[in-house]
């Protein structure tokens, strides 16, 4: 670096001895001895070549001073000795300098190796930490799972033991006492019979619950007519209700769309809810009915019982929770009915909940998705064969701030046979997730990352996948922005390396634009380890200006708010020099686990319909993954 | 109220019925209760010599009743048997810590229980 300048400095200082000698007494001037210390010191700082040049030039030029010597005759041998001293000094100094430089080079190499090793170590360390985090999370989950299982087993064993106790006691009594009156004998036998029925019912219910829990239903969804579900369940429960002196009212059920599901299971849910209603209502009315609600049919069963305490309204859907009615002891039943119902409803892609007012009664609601619209020439199947069109029964939720792009994407998706729901903000989306169960969420880079994270947490709890796109869909225009890919923390050197290599980025420094200094510095280290030089920017406008003038090899953009991000990306894209620079979005680490980003290749920007088509394709791919 | 021999407290009516049948057949006087509070009231009123307590009962659990009885100077000599479920370690710990004299695990044999009652009451000098 700046070698010519340094060399010039050396020449100048060595050669300046000559005029100094001239002024202070010619060849006899003591200034000429300055040559030796100057050269020796220079050996430390200058490369051998510069030293040779400077020393030899001095040696050659020094005899010129003899021309200015006063008439006194020179001593030629002494002069020659002096000049050869200069010459040999130059050689020696050059030799020493070469050694010093070699050593220094080796030392610098060692330092560089050390640095790259330590960077690699840091990276490995980070990877290990991530692995460790993932492991401990998995461990915690396993422990939780184990606890749930143990609790479940101990509950099951408790529920089995109670009737078993009675059966054992009564059968032993009957065997041991010969003189029991016939009525008592009969009473005991009845108890034994009743308890064994209770046990076998319970066993069936436990099996049901386990089967639903493991998702292995072996069930086939068909389109089912809601009215049939309602009337059949009503028929089953009516005798029981009449026996209790309760009125059973079936609401109007005309104009309901068909739902997608398994008929017997849906009837089981309705019968279960009706059964509970009858059990907990002393007098009054039980109503059941259904109404259509945006892609779903909402069924309800209401009673005029005691009502349910607010704190118990969530709890009752957990296995083995039984609530005692006022004045009653433990209600009969296994405490599994509602959790089985919940399992079935959720398996169908619906939701179950209860609204209740103490002293006035409770209403249980559940939703079942509407079956896809029948395609001309495609009849409804009711005989158990799977209708391939019905696979699309769960709607896709499209979350974009812009109404036009939302409508546009929804229309495209509906054209290919999906049901869709729309939301304009992540907050609205969360409400929708709570009431309906979309099969997939498609969202865009948010105005507020925190809002997105909340949405992701909500979706994760509901087990719904999220697709993140940075593409803006407009009816007529080109998509407003697209990135070439995503990276996320913990940054993986090899991943980033292959990403950059796939876009043939080399040689030119890459640019990191991120508001998060910590994040960008880490990325810089990783990029360094991967062999890429990088420059950091923490604010958009300056970065865009620099980008346009220096044209980086690639750009990494951090988590700016939507407006800022758009500003940066449009700034980069609008210049012909930087329009095609590979651009990658840095995602929040937390998002990455639950979110699949859609990356649009730059060729996709050429035509709007083409990229939309690709987006729909990606969505379909994700959707089918979710079904597995 | 006259003193009785045995009090059975359980919210499962079948269990209560089976036990009281066996005890009454052998001539013991028996009272029954279906919740913890009623059990405690009967213990105070009727001073039974043996009390069978189920752990899980409405209003007051078996171990609570037991603890109360064992803290009462006048009642603490009553023999308390806790009905526990087999394999439920927590149940066993609860019955021991509440000061119960013995426990039997469900499902139990009424005959064995009767034998146990005879030993307990025999020892105390019937």
């Amino acid at each position: 670096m700046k070698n010519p300048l340094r060399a010039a400095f050396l020449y100048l200082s060595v050669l300046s001895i000559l005029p100094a000698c001239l002024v202070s007494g010619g060849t006899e001037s003591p200034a000429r001895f300055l040559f030796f210390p100057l050269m020796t010191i220079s050996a430390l700082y200058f490369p051998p070549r510069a030293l040779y040049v400077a020393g030899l030039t001095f040696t050659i030029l020094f005899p010129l001073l003899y021309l200015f010597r006063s008439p006194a005759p020179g001593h030629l041998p002494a002069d020659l000795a002096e000049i050869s001293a200069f010459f040999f000094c130059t050689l020696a100094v050059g030799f020493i300098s070469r050694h010093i430089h070699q050593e220094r080079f080796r030392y610098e190499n060692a330092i560089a190796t050390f640095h790259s090793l330590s960077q690699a170590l840091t990276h490995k360390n980070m990877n290990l930490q991530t692995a460790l985090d993932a492991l401990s999370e998995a461990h915690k989950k396993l422990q939780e799972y184990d606890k749930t299982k143990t609790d479940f087993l101990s509950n099951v064993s408790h529920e089995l033991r109670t009737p078993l106790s009675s059966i054992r006691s009564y059968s032993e009594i009957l065997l041991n006492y010969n003189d029991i009156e016939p009525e008592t004998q009969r009473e005991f036998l009845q108890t034994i019979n009743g308890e064994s029925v209770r046990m076998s019912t319970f066993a069936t219910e436990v099996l049901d619950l386990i089967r639903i829990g493991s998702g292995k239903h072996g069930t086939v969804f068909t389109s089912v007519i809601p009215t049939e579900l309602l009337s059949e369940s009503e028929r089953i429960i009516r005798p029981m209700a009449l026996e209790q002196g309760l009125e059973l009212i079936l609401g109007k059920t005309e104009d309901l769309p068909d739902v997608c599901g398994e008929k017997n299971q849906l009837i089981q849910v309705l019968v279960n809810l009706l059964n509970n209603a009858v059990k907990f209502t002393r007098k009054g009315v039980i109503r059941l009915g259904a109404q259509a609600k945006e892609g779903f049919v909402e069924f309800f069963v209401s009673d005029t019982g005691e009502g349910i305490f607010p704190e118990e309204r969530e709890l009752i859907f957990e296995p083995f929770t039984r609530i005692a009615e006022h004045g009653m002891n433990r209600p009969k039943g296994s405490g599994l009915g509602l959790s089985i119902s919940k399992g079935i409803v959720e398996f169908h892609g619906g939701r179950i909940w209860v609204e209740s007012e103490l002293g006035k009664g409770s209403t249980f609601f559940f939703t079942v998705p509407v079956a896809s619209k029948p395609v001309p020439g495609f009849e409804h199947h009711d005989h158990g064969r799977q209708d391939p069109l019905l696979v699309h029964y769960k709607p896709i939720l499209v979350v974009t701030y812009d109404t036009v792009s939302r409508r546009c994407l929804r229309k495209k998706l509906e054209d290919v046979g999906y049901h869709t729901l729309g939301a304009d903000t992540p907050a609205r989306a969360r409400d929708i997730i709570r009431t309906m169960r979309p099969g997939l969420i498609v969202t865009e880079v948010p105005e507020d990352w925190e809002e997105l994270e909340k949405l992701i947490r909500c979706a994760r709890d509901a087990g719904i996948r999220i697709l993140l796109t940075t593409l803006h869909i407009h009816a007529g225009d080109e998509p407003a922005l697209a990135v070439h890919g995503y990276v996320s923390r913990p940054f993986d050197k090899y991943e980033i390396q292959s990403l950059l290599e796939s876009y043939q980025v080399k040689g030119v420094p890459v640019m990191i634009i991120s508001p998060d200094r910590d994040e960008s510095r880490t990325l810089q280290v990783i990029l360094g380890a991967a062999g890429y030089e990088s420059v950091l920017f923490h604010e958009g406008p300056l970065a865009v200006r620099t980008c346009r003038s220096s044209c980086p090899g690639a750009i990494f953009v951090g988590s700016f708010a939507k407006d800022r991000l758009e500003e940066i990306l449009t700034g980069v894209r609008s210049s012909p020099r930087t329009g095609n620079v590979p651009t990658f979005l840095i995602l929040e680490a937390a998002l990455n686990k639950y979110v699949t980003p859609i990356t649009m290749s730059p060729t996709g920007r050429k035509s709007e319909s083409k990229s939309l088509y690709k987006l729909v394709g990606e969505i379909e791919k994700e959707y089918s993954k979710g079904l597995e | 109220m006259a003193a009785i021999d045995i009090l059975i407290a359980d919210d499962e009516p079948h269990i209560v019925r089976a036990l009281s049948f066996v005890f009454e057949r052998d001539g013991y006087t028996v009272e029954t209760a279906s919740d913890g509070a009623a059990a405690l009231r009967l213990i105070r009123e009727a001073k039974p010599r043996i009390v069978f307590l189920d752990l899980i009962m409405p209003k007051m659990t078996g171990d609570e009743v037991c603890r109360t009885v064992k803290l009462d100077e006048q009642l603490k000599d009553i023999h308390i048997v806790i009905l526990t479920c087999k394999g439920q370690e927590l149940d066993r710990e609860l019955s021991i810590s509440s000061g119960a004299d013995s426990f039997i695990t469900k499902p139990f044999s009424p005959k064995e229980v009767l034998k146990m009652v005879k030993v307990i009451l025999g020892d105390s000098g019937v």
Side-chain angles (χ1 to χ4, degrees):
Chain A
M1 262 219 297
K2 302 199 173 142
N3 262 340
L5 247 167
R6 285 178 64 190
F9 175 71
L10 176 67
Y11 303 148
L12 212 69
S13 49
V14 171
L15 296 181
S16 66
I17 298 172
L18 292 170
C21 289
L22 196 62
V23 185
S24 61
T27 47
E28 300 308 315
S29 160
R32 68 184 193 275
F33 295 116
L34 274 176
F35 176 77
F36 300 108
L38 193 63
M39 283 298 278
T40 318
I41 293 168
S42 303
L44 292 175
Y45 300 103
F46 296 96
R49 243 185 76 185
L51 286 166
Y52 284 134
V53 173
L56 290 177
T57 320
F58 181 84
T59 316
I60 292 162
L61 291 180
F62 187 76
L64 290 179
L65 288 181
Y66 295 120
L67 299 177
F68 299 95
R69 197 150 52 175
S70 43
H75 308 278
L76 193 63
D79 290 344
L80 272 178
E82 207 158 83
I83 288 166
S84 47
F86 291 146
F87 177 69
F88 285 115
C89 171
T90 305
L91 284 189
V93 163
F95 181 73
I96 292 168
S97 152
R98 211 173 70 217
H99 261 270
I100 291 175
H101 271 82
Q102 267 172 2
E103 286 308 313
R104 183 172 293 162
F105 182 70
R106 251 182 244 160
Y107 166 77
E108 274 167 5
N109 252 358
I111 295 266
T113 320
F114 171 76
H115 270 295
S116 67
L117 277 178
S118 83
Q119 272 178 358
L121 262 180
T122 320
H123 184 227
K124 274 242 163 71
N125 213 347
M126 267 158 42
N127 277 357
L128 272 177
Q129 192 57 48
T130 330
L132 193 69
D133 288 351
L135 263 180
S136 62
E137 200 171 300
H139 179 70
K140 224 165 72 191
K141 264 203 193 127
L142 267 178
Q143 271 181 332
E144 270 165 30
Y145 176 70
D146 196 51
K147 195 182 169 299
T148 327
K149 220 170 95 176
T150 314
D151 287 353
F152 185 78
L153 271 179
S154 91
N155 272 319
V156 168
S157 99
H158 184 263
E159 291 302 321
L160 285 176
R161 195 156 282 130
T162 314
L164 193 62
S165 239
S166 309
I167 293 172
R168 178 159 179 200
S169 305
Y170 287 110
S171 52
E172 207 184 280
I173 291 170
L174 287 171
L175 283 172
N176 284 327
Y177 297 88
N178 299 321
D179 52 343
I180 308 173
E181 306 77 47
E183 305 97 79
T184 318
Q185 273 189 22
R186 193 170 163 71
E187 179 208 325
F188 287 0
L189 280 170
Q190 262 168 353
T191 306
I192 290 173
N193 186 42
E195 293 292 276
S196 59
V197 169
R198 184 171 144 192
M199 268 179 92
S200 70
T201 315
F202 178 73
T204 318
E205 285 185 348
V206 168
L207 283 178
D208 271 357
L209 192 65
I210 290 171
R211 233 179 286 148
I212 294 163
S214 68
K216 283 179 199 147
H217 254 301
T219 43
V220 176
F221 284 179
T222 54
S223 73
V224 182
I225 304 164
T227 318
E228 280 181 15
L229 296 176
L230 291 166
S231 54
E232 202 147 318
S233 340
E234 190 227 343
R235 196 172 49 76
I236 296 171
I237 288 295
R238 185 163 286 281
M240 215 175 121
L242 287 178
E243 200 178 301
Q244 293 246 0
L246 297 169
E247 202 180 339
L248 186 60
I249 300 175
L250 177 58
K252 267 210 294 189
T253 56
E254 293 138 28
D255 302 329
L256 285 176
D258 289 2
V259 294
C260 172
E262 208 279 320
K263 196 174 169 187
N264 290 329
Q265 284 184 11
L266 293 176
I267 290 178
Q268 189 182 344
V269 175
L270 274 171
V271 168
N272 217 327
L273 295 179
L274 285 167
N275 216 337
N276 281 345
V278 170
K279 215 157 52 182
F280 289 106
T281 310
R282 299 247 177 78
K283 60 175 188 176
V285 189
I286 291 167
R287 286 170 209 277
L288 83 156
Q291 54 179 325
K293 277 226 173 138
E294 221 189 307
F296 289 86
V297 171
E298 186 183 277
F299 294 85
F300 69 87
V301 172
S302 75
D303 62 45
T304 51
E306 292 284 335
I308 299 163
F309 285 105
E311 63 270 20
E312 285 174 333
R313 284 172 203 166
E314 294 272 327
L315 216 63
I316 49 172
F317 293 103
E318 297 297 318
F320 301 108
T321 40
R322 277 169 298 196
I323 50 168
E325 215 191 334
H326 305 291
M328 267 174 83
N329 289 338
R330 196 182 293 176
K332 288 199 181 83
S334 60
L336 291 181
L338 281 176
S339 35
I340 291 171
S341 303
K342 186 180 178 212
I344 292 174
V345 169
E346 287 181 354
F347 179 68
H348 279 73
R351 207 175 71 89
I352 186 166
W353 71 99
V354 65
E355 286 167 14
S356 181
E357 202 174 327
L358 284 180
K360 291 206 170 159
S362 317
T363 308
F364 282 83
F365 295 93
F366 70 94
T367 56
V368 181
V370 168
S372 291
K373 275 175 234 159
V375 170
F378 215 103
E379 291 298 311
H380 270 273
H381 289 274
D382 224 351
H383 43 76
R385 207 168 62 80
Q386 178 143 16
D387 181 345
L389 285 172
L390 290 177
V391 175
H392 302 326
Y393 62 93
K394 283 189 186 179
I396 296 175
L397 174 61
V398 179
V399 191
T400 65
Y401 295 93
D402 176 49
T403 323
V404 182
S405 57
R406 189 168 61 246
R407 211 174 286 154
C408 183
L409 182 57
R410 284 183 67 178
K411 191 181 172 307
K412 275 276 185 304
L413 287 170
E414 275 169 11
D415 285 349
V416 251
Y418 291 94
H419 281 288
T420 65
L421 299 165
D424 54 356
T425 59
R428 187 75 55 83
R430 290 209 306 278
D431 288 340
I432 292 180
I433 293 174
R434 264 180 231 123
T435 46
M436 335 210 171
R437 290 208 152 224
L440 184 74
I441 299 168
V442 181
T443 183
E444 58 177 352
V445 171
E447 272 167 15
D448 179 355
W449 288 91
E450 262 175 41
E451 276 295 306
L452 180 65
E453 273 183 54
K454 271 191 218 158
L455 172 63
I456 286 164
R457 268 195 294 278
C458 183
R460 178 194 59 196
D461 294 344
I464 303 167
R465 304 165 72 90
I466 293 193
L467 268 181
L468 181 66
T469 168
T470 51
L471 185 72
H472 268 208
I473 313 106
H474 287 289
D477 304 337
E478 274 190 12
L481 60 102
V483 289
H484 296 70
Y486 296 82
V487 292
S488 73
R489 271 211 256 184
F491 301 117
D492 184 340
K493 183 179 110 183
Y494 300 102
E495 208 177 89
I496 291 179
Q497 207 165 15
S498 64
L499 188 69
L500 288 174
E501 271 165 16
S502 71
Y503 285 97
Q504 286 154 354
V505 180
K506 49 190 157 195
V508 203
V510 300
M511 187 179 260
I512 303 167
I513 316 171
S514 168
D516 183 344
R517 280 160 201 270
D518 192 33
E519 173 184 82
S520 41
R521 226 168 281 139
T522 317
L523 182 58
Q524 189 175 36
V525 170
I526 298 296
L527 280 167
Y532 291 93
E533 213 176 299
S534 51
V535 275
L536 296 186
F537 286 93
H538 300 303
E539 50 166 326
L542 178 65
V544 171
R545 271 204 304 282
T546 321
C547 172
R548 284 175 164 201
S549 60
S550 69
C551 191
I555 303 168
F556 290 86
V557 188
S559 38
F560 286 101
K562 189 178 168 239
D563 289 353
R564 309 281 303 283
L565 186 67
E566 225 167 295
E567 214 174 83
I568 294 169
L569 288 175
T570 352
V572 171
R573 290 265 173 270
S574 58
S575 158
R577 274 190 78 195
T578 54
N580 283 325
V581 172
T583 310
F584 308 102
L585 200 62
I586 307 171
L587 278 189
E588 294 283 312
L591 307 185
N592 192 38
K593 269 187 209 162
Y594 310 102
V595 173
T596 317
I598 312 176
T599 54
M600 305 298 298
S601 69
T603 50
R605 297 178 65 243
K606 279 181 190 154
S607 85
E608 177 264 338
S609 59
K610 205 167 157 192
S611 52
L612 239 192
Y613 178 74
K614 191 181 169 208
L615 179 61
V616 171
E618 291 287 335
I619 292 172
E620 287 199 285
K621 228 192 305 177
E622 257 333 282
Y623 192 91
S624 57
K625 256 192 236 165
L627 287 179
E628 288 158 14
Chain B
M1 198 184 223
I4 53 159
D5 295 320
I6 301 164
L7 171 71
I8 305 162
D10 195 327
D11 60 339
E12 279 287 331
H14 296 315
I15 306 255
V16 176
R17 172 85 173 99
L19 282 177
S20 52
F21 177 85
V22 175
F23 297 149
E24 277 168 354
R25 278 249 143 187
D26 261 59
Y28 295 109
T29 45
V30 178
E31 272 293 335
T32 63
S34 63
D35 64 68
L40 195 60
R41 202 180 57 241
L42 279 169
I43 291 171
R44 291 211 169 104
E45 284 172 5
K47 303 259 162 45
R49 299 164 71 189
I50 304 181
V51 178
F52 286 88
L53 286 173
D54 186 25
L55 267 186
I56 306 155
M57 281 187 292
K59 288 178 190 167
M60 206 171 173
T61 61
D63 58 302
E64 280 169 357
V65 175
C66 181
R67 209 162 277 142
T68 320
V69 169
K70 288 297 169 188
L71 285 175
D72 190 319
E73 274 302 312
Q74 293 186 328
L75 304 175
K76 69 174 192 220
D77 292 330
I78 294 174
H79 192 106
I80 292 189
V81 184
I82 299 256
L83 302 170
T84 67
C85 274
K86 205 176 181 178
Q88 306 267 337
E89 290 309 315
L90 191 69
D91 285 8
R92 193 161 295 205
E93 275 167 33
L94 267 180
S95 17
I96 291 168
S97 70
S98 64
D101 297 282
S102 49
F103 49 85
I104 52 175
T105 47
K106 289 179 191 176
F108 50 80
S109 145
K111 219 166 136 191
E112 296 293 320
V113 178
L114 183 64
K115 230 185 256 172
M116 183 177 157
V117 164
K118 278 183 176 157
V119 170
I120 296 165
L121 294 183
D123 281 351
S124 56
V126 162

